[in-house]
Amino acid sequence: MITLLVVDDHPVVRDGLRGMFESAPGFRVLGEASDGAAALRRAAELDPDVILMDLRMPGTGGVEAIRELARRGARARVLVLTTYDTDSDTLPAIEAGATGYLLKDAPREELFTAVRAAAEGRSVLSPAVASRLVSAVRAPRIPGAEPLSAREREVLALVARGTSNREIARELFISEATVKTHLTHIFAKLGAKDRAAAVATAYDRGILG
């Protein structure tokens, strides 16, 4: 059973998400919050597995809440539900420590899959969201940046699909330790802090997609 906290300033959105997840097996909504400050309080009280986080809210926004959750070492994974290409807060959210990113109009099965992946600690970044990130915030190219090797591209492509280290190792017939080494090199070459940031940067530079 995956437990959730729903954070959005619109009651209709919160009600819709609660109803969607409570009607599906394997999920339980523990509570709701209407802004980032309330999300921090509720997360401390309820200790959910996954927090569905809006970004643009009055008062404390989603990015600030994600950053503070990371600072506190919260166990919950944060799955951002962003809007459209006007929502340029997603890259800061990646840097703040969010695990996944979807559009609010994503199909329910895609959302369920993303929540399951987030609960397992796997990054989820849909191509649609990635394209919006690229159009909203163009990360500058780094002159003379070292290109990814063919194997590193393979690993990164699997990461973009939400594949775990263990699954990558099995698919590429390498050890998990080797996968971690490849990821370390990928992060360094792309100037990324984590898997989600690496995927977003790779889409922006045309390495993926």
Side-chain angles (χ1 to χ4, degrees):
M1 181 70 67
I2 297 173
T3 57
L4 298 103
L5 171 63
V6 178
V7 184
D8 197 287
D9 58 325
H10 296 292
V12 171
V13 174
R14 296 198 305 272
D15 289 347
L17 289 170
R18 176 184 281 275
M20 183 186 303
F21 280 97
E22 289 186 342
S23 67
F27 302 103
R28 183 158 62 97
V29 178
L30 299 180
E32 303 173 9
S34 59
D35 59 33
L40 293 171
R41 292 194 299 271
R42 297 293 278 164
E45 295 167 1
L46 302 172
D47 189 30
D49 297 318
V50 176
I51 299 174
L52 298 177
M53 182 77 75
D54 190 17
L55 289 182
R56 304 240 178 139
M57 297 176 287
T60 304
V63 172
E64 293 88 346
I66 295 166
R67 187 176 295 116
E68 180 61 19
L69 286 165
R71 189 191 69 80
R72 295 181 183 183
R75 183 183 68 84
R77 308 286 184 172
V78 179
L79 177 60
V80 171
L81 292 182
T82 187
T83 52
Y84 299 95
D85 55 7
T86 56
D87 198 338
S88 60
D89 291 341
T90 306
L91 278 179
I94 293 173
E95 296 174 351
T99 298
Y101 310 86
L102 285 181
L103 296 176
K104 286 183 177 178
D105 61 357
R108 55 186 289 145
E109 289 304 323
E110 183 179 344
L111 184 54
F112 293 159
T113 298
V115 168
R116 293 187 188 101
E120 295 172 2
R122 292 186 280 130
S123 297
V124 179
L125 182 61
S126 72
V129 172
S131 67
R132 283 172 167 81
L133 292 179
V134 172
S135 64
V137 181
R138 296 292 300 185
R141 293 179 180 272
I142 303 173
E146 186 180 355
L148 299 186
S149 68
R151 177 63 89 186
E152 287 165 353
R153 287 172 179 265
E154 286 181 310
V155 170
L156 188 57
L158 290 169
V159 168
R161 285 161 42 191
T163 313
S164 69
N165 286 2
R166 179 174 297 179
E167 291 167 337
I168 292 172
R170 185 165 57 245
E171 183 157 341
L172 299 181
F173 301 101
I174 56 179
S175 69
E176 285 189 63
T178 300
V179 173
K180 292 177 181 178
T181 298
H182 284 313
L183 288 174
T184 299
H185 293 162
I186 290 168
F187 295 164
K189 289 180 179 180
L190 298 181
K193 296 179 180 179
D194 55 27
R195 298 163 76 96
V199 171
T201 301
Y203 273 115
D204 180 51
R205 298 185 188 175
I207 298 171
L208 294 175

